[in-house]
């Protein structure tokens, strides 16, 4: 019992967070290139201009991935590196970089898992309205078609979007992420609809233009819930909360898993959201919903923590307060290992697709010790706690396809800049020296045993 032998163990990054080379070899500007230069957005004015310099050091990084025993590497492509203007003329040097990266991965026995979009919209498209522009799904189709034609001879696995909840909720509703806007409710729901249409168009592009068969999924995040006890009524309440609106504000919609994923897998927006916010929705057709609901091969979910709930007197979920001093990571996220049991279980039951954990990990206060090593016992403990729960889900019949640790290396953590370290590899941003943390060696043993040592 445990993880199936085909279970995939990998690590993940994103283009803007690790690549650097922001202005090299014909790359166009993206919204994060601009956002980071505007005062007040990012911790201490940090930028991704250099980041981990993965663009130049990918071979060294892949060697470390191999040393860690990673079987797969999930990374995103920079849309503006491939299409500097977002559409039109292709930048061959951009394609060349990803050719080299993919070829080096395959040469080292590491399977590439490619994410098309991880938040870095080309700035030229932003100037045309970005995701609010009704043409944005067609822009994404053009980009995805180029990717499919060029890379599908070697890449078998694709994700269309990473965390669309953050793209829309943080980028256009709270303004915490690029492009830093705070739109009204009409624009908010139009952007959501366009992003979901773009996902569907991206699936079509991958299916239509790939030169070899590919498998396609999506990698959302969202608010997750777990039962406060093993009582059937609490389990039912947690399941309900995972897929229904748990609040009456538009900001609550951004993190509603059902609002984002029911259209993708079930072909419909949830009734509770339509009833509450329907007047703000754009007009949409059955054809739109059919476009969004394109058949997928798997479901990816980024998950770090969850909220405990119990059943109220009428059976509806009630949030349970955490006790004083509840354990948290360095970024102040709560430590709730059970989410890796309950969330995959609920997601698999509802959507009936193999589940990848596409991100999971923790930020810790890491530094180089006097012996020259990076000792992170808290991350080792975190990983074991969470993966034990995931293993339990596998043993209880959830079809789990793989797990990607966030992150392969310390990197630019968006609005947090370089203040948070999630990596299995320590990066000294002054020198670009890499050091495998203790957790990297421990993760290698987990991979070698396929989780049997947990």
């Amino acid at each position: 019992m445990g993880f199936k032998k085909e279970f995939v163990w990998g690590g993940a990054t994103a283009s803007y967070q690790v690549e650097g080379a922001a202005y090299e070899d014909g790359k166009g500007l993206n919204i994060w290139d601009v956002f980071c230069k505007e005062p007040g957005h990012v911790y201490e004015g940090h930028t991704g201009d250099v980041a981990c310099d993965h663009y130049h050091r990918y071979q060294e990084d892949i060697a470390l991935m191999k040393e860690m025993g990673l079987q797969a590497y999930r990374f995103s492509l920079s849309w503006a590196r491939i299409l500097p203007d977002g559409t039109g003329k292709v930048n061959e040097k951009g394609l060349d970089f990803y050719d080299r990266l993919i070829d080096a991965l395959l040469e080292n026995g590491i399977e590439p898992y490619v994410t098309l979009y991880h938040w870095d919209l080309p700035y030229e498209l932003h100037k045309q309205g970005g995701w609010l522009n009704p043409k944005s799904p067609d822009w994404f189709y053009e980009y995805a078609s180029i990717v499919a034609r060029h890379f599908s001879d070697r890449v078998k696995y694709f994700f269309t979007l990473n965390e669309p909840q953050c793209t829309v909720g943080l980028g256009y509703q709270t303004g915490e992420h690029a492009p830093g806007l705070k739109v009204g409710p009409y624009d908010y729901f139009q952007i959501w609809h366009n992003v979901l249409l773009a996902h569907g168009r991206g699936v079509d592009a991958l299916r239509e233009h790939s030169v070899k068969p590919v498998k396609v999924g999506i990698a959302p995040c969202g608010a997750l819930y777990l039962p406060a006890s093993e009582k059937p009524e609490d389990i039912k309440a947690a399941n309900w909360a995972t897929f229904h609106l748990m609040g009456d504000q538009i900001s609550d919609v951004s993190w509603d898993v059902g609002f984002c994923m029911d259209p993708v897998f079930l072909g419909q927006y949830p009734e509770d959201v339509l009833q509450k916010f329907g007047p703000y929705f754009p007009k949409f057709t059955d054809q739109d919903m059919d476009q969004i609901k394109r058949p997928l091969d798997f479901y990816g979910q980024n998950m770090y923590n969850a909220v405990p709930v119990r059943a109220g007197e009428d059976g509806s979920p009630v949030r349970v307060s955490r006790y004083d001093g509840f354990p948290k990571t360095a970024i102040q996220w709560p430590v709730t290992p059970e989410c890796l049991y309950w969330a995959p279980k609920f997601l698999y039951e509802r959507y009936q697709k193999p589940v990848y954990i596409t991100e999971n990990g923790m930020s810790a206060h890491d530094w180089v010790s006097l012996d020259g090593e990076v000792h992170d016992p808290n991350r080792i403990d975190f990983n074991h706690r969470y993966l034990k729960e995931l293993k339990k889900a596998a043993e209880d019949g959830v079809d789990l396809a793989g797990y990607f640790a966030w992150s392969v290396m310390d990197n630019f953590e968006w609005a947090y800049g370089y203040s948070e370290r999630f990596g299995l590899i320590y990066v000294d941003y002054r020198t670009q020296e890499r050091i495998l943390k203790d957790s990297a060696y421990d993760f290698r043993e987990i991979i070698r045993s396929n989780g049997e040592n947990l």
Side-chain angles (χ1 to χ4, degrees):
M1 293 291 287
F3 298 110
K4 59 187 178 183
K5 64 180 181 179
E6 300 87 7
F7 188 83
V8 175
W9 297 93
T13 67
S15 52
Y16 189 76
Q17 293 183 268
V18 299
E19 284 181 5
Y23 310 103
E24 293 184 36
D25 291 340
K27 174 187 163 295
L29 289 175
N30 65 54
I31 54 176
W32 278 92
D33 291 320
V34 175
F35 185 75
C36 290
K37 299 297 192 299
E38 298 171 348
H41 290 318
V42 178
Y43 176 80
E44 294 189 347
H46 296 172
T47 78
D49 286 359
V50 177
C52 304
D53 199 27
H54 186 60
Y55 188 82
H56 299 109
R57 299 172 182 266
Y58 68 91
Q59 290 177 316
E60 175 187 355
D61 293 335
I62 291 172
L64 291 172
M65 293 180 212
K66 184 176 183 179
E67 186 175 350
M68 269 196 288
L70 295 189
Q71 299 166 350
Y73 176 42
R74 177 178 171 248
F75 62 96
S76 71
L77 307 178
S78 168
W79 187 342
R81 198 178 292 284
I82 293 172
L83 287 163
D85 294 325
T87 61
K89 183 175 176 56
V90 174
N91 177 30
E92 295 297 334
K93 289 185 177 180
L95 293 177
D96 289 346
F97 166 66
Y98 293 115
D99 280 336
R100 296 193 300 273
L101 175 64
I102 290 166
D103 289 346
L105 287 167
L106 293 172
E107 288 167 6
N108 284 276
I110 300 171
E111 190 75 40
Y113 279 67
V114 168
T115 303
L116 296 180
Y117 185 74
H118 197 132
W119 309 351
D120 48 354
L121 187 74
Y123 186 62
E124 291 302 315
L125 297 185
H126 167 71
K127 292 195 293 186
Q128 299 176 52
W131 291 112
L132 185 58
N133 191 316
K135 295 180 181 178
S136 54
D138 295 330
W139 297 338
F140 193 66
Y141 177 89
E142 179 184 342
Y143 162 56
S145 299
I146 292 166
V147 170
R149 286 193 292 267
H150 193 87
F151 299 113
S152 62
D153 60 331
R154 289 154 291 163
V155 178
K156 302 174 186 175
Y157 302 94
F158 289 92
F159 297 91
T160 53
L161 308 174
N162 180 83
E163 297 186 345
Q165 293 93 337
C166 295
T167 295
V168 185
L170 300 182
Y172 290 91
Q173 202 262 330
T174 69
E176 296 171 65
H177 281 188
L181 301 181
K182 298 180 180 180
V183 303
Y186 289 98
D187 286 353
Y188 171 83
F189 284 106
Q190 182 65 67
I191 290 167
W192 256 116
H193 193 60
N194 290 346
V195 166
L196 291 174
L197 283 170
H199 156 76
R201 293 283 282 150
V203 175
D204 281 352
L206 290 167
R207 303 282 191 211
E208 293 168 6
H209 295 283
S210 290
V211 297
K212 290 184 178 180
V214 296
K215 293 186 179 297
V216 184
I218 187 170
C221 57
L224 303 173
Y225 297 87
L226 53 86
S229 79
E230 296 282 342
K231 295 178 181 178
E233 58 267 31
D234 287 350
I235 295 172
K236 183 177 180 180
N239 196 336
W240 189 94
T242 300
F243 302 105
H244 293 82
L245 192 57
M246 287 287 286
D248 56 6
Q249 303 297 315
I250 287 180
S251 57
D252 297 310
V253 176
S254 293
W255 309 108
D256 180 359
V257 172
F259 173 72
C260 183
M261 289 295 100
D262 277 10
V264 169
F265 289 101
L266 306 181
Q268 59 191 26
Y269 285 112
E271 278 301 317
D272 57 350
V273 179
L274 289 174
Q275 287 175 8
K276 191 159 192 66
F277 298 107
Y280 300 122
F281 265 72
K283 291 182 180 179
F284 59 89
T285 64
D286 290 343
Q287 184 179 5
D288 285 346
M289 301 315 294
D290 181 62
Q291 178 65 73
I292 294 170
K293 187 195 172 188
R294 288 300 198 241
L296 296 179
D297 300 294
F298 50 80
Y299 183 111
Q301 180 79 22
N302 298 351
M303 56 181 76
Y304 295 87
N305 53 73
V307 177
V309 296
R310 61 172 176 82
E313 292 185 4
D314 61 355
S316 60
V318 177
R319 290 183 176 87
V320 176
S321 297
R322 297 188 175 98
Y323 59 81
D324 293 346
F326 194 88
K328 294 180 180 180
T329 65
I331 203 172
Q332 297 298 300
W333 293 354
V335 178
T336 58
E338 298 84 1
C339 71
L340 252 65
Y341 174 77
W342 290 108
K345 180 178 175 65
F346 294 156
L347 293 166
Y348 180 61
E349 288 172 353
R350 187 174 184 87
Y351 298 129
Q352 293 294 299
K353 292 293 180 182
V355 176
Y356 283 96
I357 308 304
T358 36
E359 287 185 21
N360 175 249
M362 67 166 284
S363 173
H365 295 298
D366 300 322
W367 61 81
V368 181
S369 295
L370 290 172
D371 62 3
E373 303 295 331
V374 179
H375 305 297
D376 55 344
N378 47 355
R379 184 175 286 107
I380 291 172
D381 184 78
F382 179 100
N383 289 344
H384 280 251
R385 288 176 186 269
Y386 274 70
L387 288 169
K388 280 177 180 287
E389 295 294 330
L390 188 64
K391 184 178 178 181
K392 179 182 171 186
E395 291 170 347
D396 283 359
V398 177
D399 187 357
L400 293 171
Y403 171 91
F404 289 87
W406 186 267
S407 170
V408 171
M409 66 190 82
D410 297 333
N411 57 51
F412 177 84
E413 274 299 331
W414 308 110
Y416 294 98
Y418 299 101
S419 67
E420 302 293 341
R421 292 183 178 273
F422 278 85
L424 295 169
I425 299 170
Y426 181 90
V427 179
D428 184 329
Y429 300 111
R430 302 166 302 174
T431 64
Q432 292 297 336
E433 179 187 8
R434 274 85 156 126
I435 301 173
L436 289 172
K437 301 176 187 178
D438 288 354
S439 59
Y441 295 111
D442 184 77
F443 193 50
R444 179 173 67 187
E445 296 310 308
I446 293 172
I447 296 170
R448 282 178 176 173
S449 72
N450 196 31
E452 289 302 311
N453 68 335
L454 293 167

